[in-house]
mmCIF file of all heavy atoms in Angstrom:
data_model
loop_
_atom_site.group_PDB
_atom_site.id
_atom_site.type_symbol
_atom_site.label_atom_id
_atom_site.label_comp_id
_atom_site.label_asym_id
_atom_site.label_seq_id
_atom_site.Cartn_x
_atom_site.Cartn_y
_atom_site.Cartn_z
ATOM 1 N N GLU A 774 0.825 -1.206 0.000
ATOM 2 C CA GLU A 774 0.000 0.000 0.000
ATOM 3 C C GLU A 774 0.861 1.259 0.000
ATOM 4 O O GLU A 774 1.805 1.394 0.789
ATOM 5 C CB GLU A 774 -0.927 0.006 1.219
ATOM 6 C CG GLU A 774 -1.916 1.166 1.219
ATOM 7 C CD GLU A 774 -2.905 1.096 2.377
ATOM 8 O OE1 GLU A 774 -2.878 0.081 3.110
ATOM 9 O OE2 GLU A 774 -3.691 2.040 2.536
ATOM 10 N N GLY A 775 0.544 2.157 -0.904
ATOM 11 C CA GLY A 775 1.270 3.412 -0.997
ATOM 12 C C GLY A 775 2.488 3.370 -1.896
ATOM 13 O O GLY A 775 3.171 4.386 -2.062
ATOM 14 N N TYR A 776 2.777 2.206 -2.467
ATOM 15 C CA TYR A 776 3.992 2.069 -3.289
ATOM 16 C C TYR A 776 3.653 1.529 -4.688
ATOM 17 O O TYR A 776 4.394 0.752 -5.264
ATOM 18 C CB TYR A 776 5.003 1.154 -2.606
ATOM 19 C CG TYR A 776 5.569 1.749 -1.336
ATOM 20 C CD1 TYR A 776 4.945 1.531 -0.110
ATOM 21 C CD2 TYR A 776 6.692 2.569 -1.375
ATOM 22 C CE1 TYR A 776 5.444 2.085 1.055
ATOM 23 C CE2 TYR A 776 7.205 3.137 -0.221
ATOM 24 C CZ TYR A 776 6.578 2.887 0.998
ATOM 25 O OH TYR A 776 7.082 3.443 2.140
ATOM 26 N N THR A 777 2.536 1.963 -5.218
ATOM 27 C CA THR A 777 2.152 1.540 -6.559
ATOM 28 C C THR A 777 3.189 2.020 -7.578
ATOM 29 O O THR A 777 3.616 3.168 -7.546
ATOM 30 C CB THR A 777 0.782 2.113 -6.919
ATOM 31 O OG1 THR A 777 -0.182 1.667 -5.957
ATOM 32 C CG2 THR A 777 0.346 1.653 -8.307
ATOM 33 N N HIS A 778 3.607 1.130 -8.467
ATOM 34 C CA HIS A 778 4.592 1.514 -9.472
ATOM 35 C C HIS A 778 4.543 0.517 -10.621
ATOM 36 O O HIS A 778 3.943 -0.548 -10.518
ATOM 37 C CB HIS A 778 6.005 1.552 -8.881
ATOM 38 C CG HIS A 778 6.518 0.223 -8.422
ATOM 39 N ND1 HIS A 778 6.003 -0.457 -7.330
ATOM 40 C CD2 HIS A 778 7.503 -0.583 -8.916
ATOM 41 C CE1 HIS A 778 6.649 -1.594 -7.156
ATOM 42 N NE2 HIS A 778 7.566 -1.708 -8.113
ATOM 43 N N ARG A 779 5.181 0.900 -11.717
ATOM 44 C CA ARG A 779 5.247 0.025 -12.875
ATOM 45 C C ARG A 779 6.706 -0.071 -13.327
ATOM 46 O O ARG A 779 7.384 0.958 -13.482
ATOM 47 C CB ARG A 779 4.392 0.570 -14.014
ATOM 48 C CG ARG A 779 4.433 -0.295 -15.281
ATOM 49 C CD ARG A 779 3.479 0.227 -16.337
ATOM 50 N NE ARG A 779 3.836 1.579 -16.770
ATOM 51 C CZ ARG A 779 3.124 2.284 -17.643
ATOM 52 N NH1 ARG A 779 1.988 1.800 -18.129
ATOM 53 N NH2 ARG A 779 3.508 3.503 -18.006
ATOM 54 N N ILE A 780 7.172 -1.296 -13.533
ATOM 55 C CA ILE A 780 8.497 -1.510 -14.100
ATOM 56 C C ILE A 780 8.369 -2.547 -15.212
ATOM 57 O O ILE A 780 7.373 -3.273 -15.289
ATOM 58 C CB ILE A 780 9.527 -1.993 -13.049
ATOM 59 C CG1 ILE A 780 9.056 -3.286 -12.378
ATOM 60 C CG2 ILE A 780 9.791 -0.915 -12.010
ATOM 61 C CD1 ILE A 780 10.072 -3.874 -11.427
ATOM 62 N N GLY A 781 9.358 -2.626 -16.073
ATOM 63 C CA GLY A 781 9.290 -3.578 -17.176
ATOM 64 C C GLY A 781 10.529 -3.500 -18.032
ATOM 65 O O GLY A 781 11.582 -3.025 -17.602
ATOM 66 N N GLY A 782 10.402 -3.930 -19.276
ATOM 67 C CA GLY A 782 11.550 -4.038 -20.160
ATOM 68 C C GLY A 782 11.844 -2.806 -20.975
ATOM 69 O O GLY A 782 12.883 -2.745 -21.647
ATOM 70 N N LEU A 783 10.947 -1.819 -20.949
ATOM 71 C CA LEU A 783 11.192 -0.584 -21.686
ATOM 72 C C LEU A 783 12.055 0.367 -20.855
ATOM 73 O O LEU A 783 12.033 0.324 -19.619
ATOM 74 C CB LEU A 783 9.870 0.094 -22.049
ATOM 75 C CG LEU A 783 9.015 -0.657 -23.084
ATOM 76 C CD1 LEU A 783 7.641 -0.017 -23.193
ATOM 77 C CD2 LEU A 783 9.709 -0.671 -24.445
ATOM 78 N N GLU A 784 12.818 1.200 -21.552
ATOM 79 C CA GLU A 784 13.697 2.139 -20.858
ATOM 80 C C GLU A 784 12.892 3.122 -20.010
ATOM 81 O O GLU A 784 11.775 3.504 -20.383
ATOM 82 C CB GLU A 784 14.545 2.899 -21.886
ATOM 83 C CG GLU A 784 15.588 3.814 -21.278
ATOM 84 C CD GLU A 784 16.626 3.062 -20.450
ATOM 85 O OE1 GLU A 784 16.331 2.731 -19.274
ATOM 86 O OE2 GLU A 784 17.721 2.786 -20.991
ATOM 87 N N LYS A 785 13.449 3.502 -18.870
ATOM 88 C CA LYS A 785 12.776 4.400 -17.923
ATOM 89 C C LYS A 785 13.494 5.744 -17.841
ATOM 90 O O LYS A 785 14.710 5.830 -18.017
ATOM 91 C CB LYS A 785 12.775 3.782 -16.515
ATOM 92 C CG LYS A 785 12.475 2.298 -16.438
ATOM 93 C CD LYS A 785 11.064 1.973 -16.819
ATOM 94 C CE LYS A 785 10.785 0.483 -16.598
ATOM 95 N NZ LYS A 785 11.703 -0.402 -17.342
ATOM 96 N N ASP A 786 12.751 6.739 -17.519
ATOM 97 C CA ASP A 786 13.346 8.048 -17.238
ATOM 98 C C ASP A 786 14.082 7.972 -15.898
ATOM 99 O O ASP A 786 13.563 7.436 -14.915
ATOM 100 C CB ASP A 786 12.262 9.124 -17.168
ATOM 101 C CG ASP A 786 12.848 10.505 -16.930
ATOM 102 O OD1 ASP A 786 13.294 11.125 -17.893
ATOM 103 O OD2 ASP A 786 12.867 10.917 -15.755
ATOM 104 N N TYR A 787 15.285 8.520 -15.859
ATOM 105 C CA TYR A 787 16.122 8.434 -14.660
ATOM 106 C C TYR A 787 15.446 9.060 -13.448
ATOM 107 O O TYR A 787 15.549 8.539 -12.337
ATOM 108 C CB TYR A 787 17.464 9.124 -14.913
ATOM 109 C CG TYR A 787 18.354 9.157 -13.695
ATOM 110 C CD1 TYR A 787 19.128 8.058 -13.349
ATOM 111 C CD2 TYR A 787 18.402 10.285 -12.871
ATOM 112 C CE1 TYR A 787 19.937 8.080 -12.213
ATOM 113 C CE2 TYR A 787 19.201 10.327 -11.737
ATOM 114 C CZ TYR A 787 19.967 9.214 -11.417
ATOM 115 O OH TYR A 787 20.759 9.232 -10.298
ATOM 116 N N THR A 788 14.701 10.131 -13.663
ATOM 117 C CA THR A 788 14.126 10.875 -12.533
ATOM 118 C C THR A 788 12.745 10.372 -12.144
ATOM 119 O O THR A 788 12.456 10.138 -10.966
ATOM 120 C CB THR A 788 14.053 12.372 -12.873
ATOM 121 O OG1 THR A 788 15.355 12.851 -13.194
ATOM 122 C CG2 THR A 788 13.506 13.164 -11.691
ATOM 123 N N THR A 789 11.882 10.162 -13.143
ATOM 124 C CA THR A 789 10.484 9.854 -12.843
ATOM 125 C C THR A 789 10.175 8.357 -12.865
ATOM 126 O O THR A 789 9.197 7.920 -12.252
ATOM 127 C CB THR A 789 9.565 10.544 -13.856
ATOM 128 O OG1 THR A 789 9.774 9.964 -15.162
ATOM 129 C CG2 THR A 789 9.841 12.035 -13.907
ATOM 130 N N GLY A 790 10.945 7.583 -13.594
ATOM 131 C CA GLY A 790 10.646 6.162 -13.747
ATOM 132 C C GLY A 790 9.647 5.889 -14.851
ATOM 133 O O GLY A 790 9.301 4.733 -15.110
ATOM 134 N N ALA A 791 9.160 6.924 -15.511
ATOM 135 C CA ALA A 791 8.219 6.740 -16.617
ATOM 136 C C ALA A 791 8.968 6.266 -17.856
ATOM 137 O O ALA A 791 10.179 6.432 -17.983
ATOM 138 C CB ALA A 791 7.495 8.053 -16.920
ATOM 139 N N ILE A 792 8.248 5.636 -18.809
ATOM 140 C CA ILE A 792 8.860 5.161 -20.044
ATOM 141 C C ILE A 792 9.480 6.333 -20.801
ATOM 142 O O ILE A 792 8.879 7.401 -20.927
ATOM 143 C CB ILE A 792 7.817 4.436 -20.912
ATOM 144 C CG1 ILE A 792 7.357 3.146 -20.213
ATOM 145 C CG2 ILE A 792 8.382 4.116 -22.297
ATOM 146 C CD1 ILE A 792 6.181 2.467 -20.886
ATOM 147 N N SER A 793 10.699 6.127 -21.311
ATOM 148 C CA SER A 793 11.404 7.203 -21.988
ATOM 149 C C SER A 793 12.156 6.659 -23.198
ATOM 150 O O SER A 793 12.774 5.589 -23.125
ATOM 151 C CB SER A 793 12.400 7.871 -21.041
ATOM 152 O OG SER A 793 13.246 8.781 -21.730
ATOM 153 N N THR A 794 12.097 7.417 -24.320
ATOM 154 C CA THR A 794 12.895 7.095 -25.507
ATOM 155 C C THR A 794 13.925 8.186 -25.774
ATOM 156 O O THR A 794 14.542 8.211 -26.850
ATOM 157 C CB THR A 794 11.989 6.930 -26.738
ATOM 158 O OG1 THR A 794 11.241 8.136 -26.952
ATOM 159 C CG2 THR A 794 11.041 5.755 -26.558
ATOM 160 N N ASP A 795 14.143 9.070 -24.822
ATOM 161 C CA ASP A 795 15.081 10.167 -24.977
ATOM 162 C C ASP A 795 16.513 9.641 -25.069
ATOM 163 O O ASP A 795 16.939 8.808 -24.256
ATOM 164 C CB ASP A 795 14.954 11.125 -23.792
ATOM 165 C CG ASP A 795 15.925 12.281 -23.890
ATOM 166 O OD1 ASP A 795 15.710 13.167 -24.727
ATOM 167 O OD2 ASP A 795 16.920 12.256 -23.136
ATOM 168 N N ALA A 796 17.277 10.118 -26.060
ATOM 169 C CA ALA A 796 18.627 9.602 -26.310
ATOM 170 C C ALA A 796 19.556 9.850 -25.130
ATOM 171 O O ALA A 796 20.299 8.949 -24.699
ATOM 172 C CB ALA A 796 19.195 10.246 -27.580
ATOM 173 N N ALA A 797 19.552 11.071 -24.616
ATOM 174 C CA ALA A 797 20.454 11.403 -23.512
ATOM 175 C C ALA A 797 20.112 10.598 -22.258
ATOM 176 O O ALA A 797 20.989 10.152 -21.517
ATOM 177 C CB ALA A 797 20.390 12.911 -23.228
ATOM 178 N N ASN A 798 18.822 10.431 -22.021
ATOM 179 C CA ASN A 798 18.397 9.639 -20.861
ATOM 180 C C ASN A 798 18.848 8.187 -20.991
ATOM 181 O O ASN A 798 19.300 7.568 -20.010
ATOM 182 C CB ASN A 798 16.881 9.701 -20.706
ATOM 183 C CG ASN A 798 16.397 8.839 -19.541
ATOM 184 O OD1 ASN A 798 16.524 9.224 -18.382
ATOM 185 N ND2 ASN A 798 15.855 7.664 -19.842
ATOM 186 N N HIS A 799 18.748 7.630 -22.214
ATOM 187 C CA HIS A 799 19.176 6.245 -22.411
ATOM 188 C C HIS A 799 20.666 6.090 -22.121
ATOM 189 O O HIS A 799 21.085 5.128 -21.455
ATOM 190 C CB HIS A 799 18.872 5.783 -23.835
ATOM 191 C CG HIS A 799 19.284 4.365 -24.106
ATOM 192 N ND1 HIS A 799 18.880 3.296 -23.326
ATOM 193 C CD2 HIS A 799 20.102 3.833 -25.058
ATOM 194 C CE1 HIS A 799 19.406 2.180 -23.800
ATOM 195 N NE2 HIS A 799 20.166 2.481 -24.843
ATOM 196 N N GLN A 800 21.459 7.047 -22.603
ATOM 197 C CA GLN A 800 22.900 6.993 -22.311
ATOM 198 C C GLN A 800 23.138 7.023 -20.798
ATOM 199 O O GLN A 800 23.973 6.282 -20.271
ATOM 200 C CB GLN A 800 23.605 8.173 -22.974
ATOM 201 C CG GLN A 800 25.113 8.227 -22.726
ATOM 202 C CD GLN A 800 25.853 7.093 -23.396
ATOM 203 O OE1 GLN A 800 25.904 7.025 -24.612
ATOM 204 N NE2 GLN A 800 26.419 6.186 -22.613
ATOM 205 N N LYS A 801 22.395 7.891 -20.112
ATOM 206 C CA LYS A 801 22.569 8.000 -18.665
ATOM 207 C C LYS A 801 22.193 6.701 -17.972
ATOM 208 O O LYS A 801 22.899 6.241 -17.066
ATOM 209 C CB LYS A 801 21.719 9.156 -18.126
ATOM 210 C CG LYS A 801 21.922 9.401 -16.638
ATOM 211 C CD LYS A 801 21.228 10.684 -16.185
ATOM 212 C CE LYS A 801 21.562 10.979 -14.726
ATOM 213 N NZ LYS A 801 20.970 12.265 -14.273
ATOM 214 N N MET A 802 21.101 6.081 -18.385
ATOM 215 C CA MET A 802 20.663 4.834 -17.754
ATOM 216 C C MET A 802 21.632 3.689 -18.031
ATOM 217 O O MET A 802 21.870 2.841 -17.171
ATOM 218 C CB MET A 802 19.257 4.479 -18.220
ATOM 219 C CG MET A 802 18.171 5.427 -17.720
ATOM 220 S SD MET A 802 18.083 5.523 -15.913
ATOM 221 C CE MET A 802 17.518 3.864 -15.507
ATOM 222 N N VAL A 803 22.188 3.656 -19.245
ATOM 223 C CA VAL A 803 23.210 2.655 -19.552
ATOM 224 C C VAL A 803 24.382 2.816 -18.595
ATOM 225 O O VAL A 803 24.898 1.843 -18.028
ATOM 226 C CB VAL A 803 23.678 2.777 -21.021
ATOM 227 C CG1 VAL A 803 24.963 1.983 -21.258
ATOM 228 C CG2 VAL A 803 22.589 2.291 -21.966
ATOM 229 N N ASN A 804 24.808 4.057 -18.376
ATOM 230 C CA ASN A 804 25.929 4.328 -17.470
ATOM 231 C C ASN A 804 25.589 3.977 -16.031
ATOM 232 O O ASN A 804 26.423 3.432 -15.290
ATOM 233 C CB ASN A 804 26.327 5.805 -17.560
ATOM 234 C CG ASN A 804 26.857 6.184 -18.936
ATOM 235 O OD1 ASN A 804 27.216 5.314 -19.728
ATOM 236 N ND2 ASN A 804 26.902 7.481 -19.225
ATOM 237 N N VAL A 805 24.370 4.279 -15.624
ATOM 238 C CA VAL A 805 23.956 4.016 -14.236
ATOM 239 C C VAL A 805 23.919 2.521 -13.957
ATOM 240 O O VAL A 805 24.387 2.059 -12.909
ATOM 241 C CB VAL A 805 22.583 4.667 -13.950
ATOM 242 C CG1 VAL A 805 21.975 4.095 -12.677
ATOM 243 C CG2 VAL A 805 22.730 6.177 -13.844
ATOM 244 N N ARG A 806 23.358 1.762 -14.871
ATOM 245 C CA ARG A 806 23.275 0.312 -14.653
ATOM 246 C C ARG A 806 24.670 -0.308 -14.561
ATOM 247 O O ARG A 806 24.896 -1.213 -13.755
ATOM 248 C CB ARG A 806 22.435 -0.343 -15.747
ATOM 249 C CG ARG A 806 20.939 -0.079 -15.608
ATOM 250 C CD ARG A 806 20.110 -0.895 -16.590
ATOM 251 N NE ARG A 806 20.225 -0.414 -17.953
ATOM 252 C CZ ARG A 806 19.408 0.473 -18.528
ATOM 253 N NH1 ARG A 806 18.397 0.986 -17.837
ATOM 254 N NH2 ARG A 806 19.576 0.841 -19.789
ATOM 255 N N GLN A 807 25.608 0.174 -15.369
ATOM 256 C CA GLN A 807 26.973 -0.322 -15.289
ATOM 257 C C GLN A 807 27.650 0.123 -13.992
ATOM 258 O O GLN A 807 28.325 -0.661 -13.324
ATOM 259 C CB GLN A 807 27.792 0.164 -16.487
ATOM 260 C CG GLN A 807 29.220 -0.384 -16.527
ATOM 261 C CD GLN A 807 29.263 -1.892 -16.683
ATOM 262 O OE1 GLN A 807 28.772 -2.426 -17.665
ATOM 263 N NE2 GLN A 807 29.848 -2.587 -15.705
ATOM 264 N N ALA A 808 27.443 1.383 -13.625
ATOM 265 C CA ALA A 808 28.060 1.906 -12.406
ATOM 266 C C ALA A 808 27.563 1.160 -11.171
ATOM 267 O O ALA A 808 28.325 0.915 -10.225
ATOM 268 C CB ALA A 808 27.770 3.402 -12.276
ATOM 269 N N LYS A 809 26.286 0.802 -11.190
ATOM 270 C CA LYS A 809 25.725 0.069 -10.047
ATOM 271 C C LYS A 809 26.440 -1.256 -9.848
ATOM 272 O O LYS A 809 26.767 -1.645 -8.710
ATOM 273 C CB LYS A 809 24.224 -0.162 -10.263
ATOM 274 C CG LYS A 809 23.541 -0.811 -9.082
ATOM 275 C CD LYS A 809 22.048 -0.957 -9.282
ATOM 276 C CE LYS A 809 21.700 -2.124 -10.164
ATOM 277 N NZ LYS A 809 20.249 -2.455 -10.107
ATOM 278 N N VAL A 810 26.708 -1.981 -10.943
ATOM 279 C CA VAL A 810 27.430 -3.246 -10.850
ATOM 280 C C VAL A 810 28.878 -3.005 -10.441
ATOM 281 O O VAL A 810 29.431 -3.718 -9.594
ATOM 282 C CB VAL A 810 27.351 -4.012 -12.184
ATOM 283 C CG1 VAL A 810 28.277 -5.230 -12.165
ATOM 284 C CG2 VAL A 810 25.916 -4.451 -12.463
ATOM 285 N N ASP A 811 29.514 -1.988 -11.024
ATOM 286 C CA ASP A 811 30.917 -1.699 -10.699
ATOM 287 C C ASP A 811 31.099 -1.389 -9.218
ATOM 288 O O ASP A 811 32.089 -1.794 -8.605
ATOM 289 C CB ASP A 811 31.423 -0.514 -11.532
ATOM 290 C CG ASP A 811 31.534 -0.848 -13.016
ATOM 291 O OD1 ASP A 811 31.549 -2.060 -13.354
ATOM 292 O OD2 ASP A 811 31.587 0.093 -13.838
ATOM 293 N N LYS A 812 30.132 -0.669 -8.626
ATOM 294 C CA LYS A 812 30.247 -0.265 -7.231
ATOM 295 C C LYS A 812 30.156 -1.445 -6.268
ATOM 296 O O LYS A 812 30.551 -1.346 -5.102
ATOM 297 C CB LYS A 812 29.176 0.777 -6.887
ATOM 298 C CG LYS A 812 29.464 2.167 -7.458
ATOM 299 C CD LYS A 812 28.360 3.148 -7.105
ATOM 300 C CE LYS A 812 28.656 4.529 -7.658
ATOM 301 N NZ LYS A 812 29.818 5.165 -7.013
ATOM 302 N N ILE A 813 29.641 -2.571 -6.746
ATOM 303 C CA ILE A 813 29.548 -3.754 -5.881
ATOM 304 C C ILE A 813 30.933 -4.228 -5.464
ATOM 305 O O ILE A 813 31.086 -4.892 -4.429
ATOM 306 C CB ILE A 813 28.751 -4.863 -6.609
ATOM 307 C CG1 ILE A 813 27.286 -4.417 -6.763
ATOM 308 C CG2 ILE A 813 28.816 -6.192 -5.868
ATOM 309 C CD1 ILE A 813 26.452 -5.317 -7.641
ATOM 310 N N ALA A 814 31.964 -3.857 -6.224
ATOM 311 C CA ALA A 814 33.344 -4.209 -5.843
ATOM 312 C C ALA A 814 33.704 -3.669 -4.461
ATOM 313 O O ALA A 814 34.592 -4.216 -3.786
ATOM 314 C CB ALA A 814 34.325 -3.680 -6.885
ATOM 315 N N ASP A 815 33.023 -2.616 -4.018
ATOM 316 C CA ASP A 815 33.281 -2.061 -2.679
ATOM 317 C C ASP A 815 32.722 -2.944 -1.564
ATOM 318 O O ASP A 815 33.033 -2.722 -0.389
ATOM 319 C CB ASP A 815 32.656 -0.670 -2.552
ATOM 320 C CG ASP A 815 33.304 0.350 -3.469
ATOM 321 O OD1 ASP A 815 34.480 0.157 -3.836
ATOM 322 O OD2 ASP A 815 32.626 1.343 -3.830
ATOM 323 N N PHE A 816 31.903 -3.934 -1.920
ATOM 324 C CA PHE A 816 31.175 -4.695 -0.906
ATOM 325 C C PHE A 816 31.495 -6.196 -0.924
ATOM 326 O O PHE A 816 30.854 -6.956 -0.202
ATOM 327 C CB PHE A 816 29.665 -4.492 -1.103
ATOM 328 C CG PHE A 816 29.229 -3.069 -0.987
ATOM 329 C CD1 PHE A 816 29.203 -2.232 -2.109
ATOM 330 C CD2 PHE A 816 28.867 -2.532 0.235
ATOM 331 C CE1 PHE A 816 28.801 -0.911 -2.011
ATOM 332 C CE2 PHE A 816 28.462 -1.210 0.346
ATOM 333 C CZ PHE A 816 28.435 -0.384 -0.773
ATOM 334 N N ILE A 817 32.450 -6.608 -1.753
ATOM 335 C CA ILE A 817 32.820 -8.031 -1.815
ATOM 336 C C ILE A 817 34.244 -8.206 -1.313
ATOM 337 O O ILE A 817 35.020 -7.246 -1.260
ATOM 338 C CB ILE A 817 32.685 -8.581 -3.258
ATOM 339 C CG1 ILE A 817 33.572 -7.798 -4.218
ATOM 340 C CG2 ILE A 817 31.220 -8.549 -3.698
ATOM 341 C CD1 ILE A 817 33.574 -8.339 -5.643
ATOM 342 N N PRO A 818 34.632 -9.423 -0.934
ATOM 343 C CA PRO A 818 35.986 -9.650 -0.393
ATOM 344 C C PRO A 818 37.069 -9.346 -1.412
ATOM 345 O O PRO A 818 36.884 -9.466 -2.625
ATOM 346 C CB PRO A 818 35.972 -11.141 -0.034
ATOM 347 C CG PRO A 818 34.527 -11.501 0.111
ATOM 348 C CD PRO A 818 33.793 -10.633 -0.862
ATOM 349 N N GLN A 819 38.250 -8.988 -0.897
ATOM 350 C CA GLN A 819 39.413 -8.757 -1.728
ATOM 351 C C GLN A 819 39.971 -10.093 -2.247
ATOM 352 O O GLN A 819 39.727 -11.153 -1.668
ATOM 353 C CB GLN A 819 40.502 -8.042 -0.924
ATOM 354 C CG GLN A 819 40.085 -6.679 -0.391
ATOM 355 C CD GLN A 819 40.435 -5.549 -1.334
ATOM 356 O OE1 GLN A 819 40.060 -5.583 -2.502
ATOM 357 N NE2 GLN A 819 41.135 -4.555 -0.836
#
């Protein structure tokens, strides 16, 4: 309750989460998804 949302396979706007086909936004989301995985190196054993 109170957390209604929609997610799926289409690209999302970085700020709103709504479906987006904007070129700059897609580049940003590509970078964010990669950065999220890269940052996991801070949380795993050496």
Side-chain angles (χ1 to χ4, degrees):
E774 186 175 354
Y776 293 89
T777 301
H778 65 291
R779 179 175 62 183
I780 57 175
L783 292 171
E784 185 62 279
K785 318 292 185 303
D786 182 82
Y787 176 82
T788 302
T789 67
I792 294 171
S793 171
T794 58
D795 179 73
N798 178 77
H799 180 54
Q800 179 68 67
K801 184 171 186 177
M802 292 301 293
V803 166
N804 296 343
V805 164
R806 286 188 287 268
Q807 184 63 60
K809 185 177 79 167
V810 171
D811 292 342
K812 286 179 179 293
I813 293 171
D815 294 335
F816 300 90
I817 59 176
Q819 299 268 54

